[in-house]
Amino acid sequence: MDASTAVLSGDFGYVVLVMIFSVFMLMWMGFKVGQARKKYEVPYPKMYSDDDRFNCFQRAHQNTLENYPTYLLLQVFSGLYAPKLAALSGVVWCAGRIAYAQGYYTGDPQKRLRGAFAYIGLLTMLLCSIIFALNLLKITNL
């Protein structure tokens, strides 16, 4: 693909929809933190509490926010290469982050590992992004 004449595939719309879904996912997680803040009586501006049950809600959201820029970058670049695969990978990442959060919300941090499958989506997007870059550099033509 020649970057100077690149045309955005109509299938990139799937990528955009998944990215919009990811925003709703973040909003849901933020809402859950707000509910936990009220339930466990953690006033603003405190970020964390002596009560680990609240901290599990806060960390699930915070960790997702920490990983979100990487997801967004890889979602866009992989979507430019293979939009349907990228969108599916984004759905897997979002589902994994939801499973991660729900596991964490139990109060047992080990249960956050239920969402480890999110890395399948993230690594797929990483591979597609690398192939996209190599194609732009004319190093390969996959």
Side-chain angles (χ1 to χ4, degrees), residues 51-69:
D51 188 330
D52 286 341
R53 294 171 299 174
F54 170 77
N55 294 341
C56 287
F57 283 84
Q58 178 68 2
R59 279 304 303 150
H61 185 232
Q62 189 65 40
N63 184 267
T64 301
L65 289 171
E66 291 163 4
N67 286 277
Y68 198 60

Side-chain angles (χ1 to χ4, degrees), residues 1 3 10 13 17-18 40 61 72 84-85 87 104 130 132-133:
M1 171 194 302
L17 287 174
V18 173
Y40 299 114
H61 185 232
L72 287 175
K84 288 181 181 177
L85 178 58
Y104 224 152
I130 291 169
F132 177 64

Side-chain angles (χ1 to χ4, degrees), residues 27-46:
M27 292 168 61
W28 169 76
M29 287 182 178
F31 179 74
K32 296 295 281 182
V33 172
Q35 285 181 319
R37 186 174 288 284
K38 187 173 184 178
K39 179 178 181 178
Y40 299 114
E41 299 177 356
V42 180
Y44 287 104
K46 281 184 80 174

Side-chain angles (χ1 to χ4, degrees), residues 56 99-100 102-116:
C56 287
Y100 166 87
Q102 288 180 323
Y104 224 152
Y105 296 163
T106 66
D108 178 1
Q110 281 300 106
K111 291 183 180 175
R112 74 190 191 285
L113 299 176
R114 294 175 179 171

Side-chain angles (χ1 to χ4, degrees), residues 7 17 40 57 61 82 87 90 97-98 104 123 126 128 131:
V7 176
L17 287 174
Y40 299 114
F57 283 84
H61 185 232
R97 295 311 298 190
I98 291 167
Y104 224 152
L123 292 173
L126 176 60
C128 287
I131 293 169

